[in-house]
Amino acid sequence: EAVLEIARFDSFGNVYNYMSKKLQKDEKFVSQLVNINGYMFLKATRFHENDAMALSAVRTCADAAAFLNLNGENGYNIAKEAVDINAFAYRHLKKE
């Protein structure tokens, strides 16, 4: 619970680096962190393939849009959703 509270005030997600390996691997816990602070997603590299978590991160961190998988058949819809959530996400979408 302390980590979740600290995450609210961590501007760049640095608390992730000091969490135990067990917590860093816990997808449910990391998802909670990302919902609070999208910068945590940038640190949680093992979850960069998780589009749902990336979209959640985009709410508070437009940079997370760079990790969205836009190559699939839903690529356009995912990109549109990211921009709908945070207009600044457009700057970080892959231009492929």
Side-chain angles (χ1 to χ4, degrees), residues 70-84:
L70 305 177
N71 295 326
E73 64 183 58
N74 291 330
Y76 173 80
N77 293 333
I78 291 171
K80 183 180 178 325
E81 187 174 352
V83 173
D84 287 346

Side-chain angles (χ1 to χ4, degrees), residues 6-76:
I6 292 168
R8 298 179 197 288
F9 306 103
D10 185 358
S11 298
F12 299 104
N14 291 323
V15 73
Y16 183 86
N17 296 333
Y18 300 101
M19 292 178 358
S20 69
K21 297 293 182 197
K22 181 180 176 184
L23 285 179
Q24 288 179 355
K25 293 178 182 178
D26 185 340
E27 186 172 359
K28 184 177 176 184
F29 182 76
V30 172
S31 182
Q32 288 177 324
L33 279 176
V34 168
N35 287 333
I36 294 169
N37 183 339
Y39 283 95
M40 298 294 172
F41 181 77
L42 301 180
K43 305 287 183 175
T45 57
R46 73 174 11 104
F47 299 113
H48 281 182
E49 299 295 319
N50 186 329
D51 283 341
M53 198 180 293
L55 283 172
S56 178
V58 166
R59 284 182 179 78
T60 57
C61 176
D63 299 354
F67 299 101
L68 291 168
N69 178 11
L70 305 177
N71 295 326
E73 64 183 58
N74 291 330
Y76 173 80

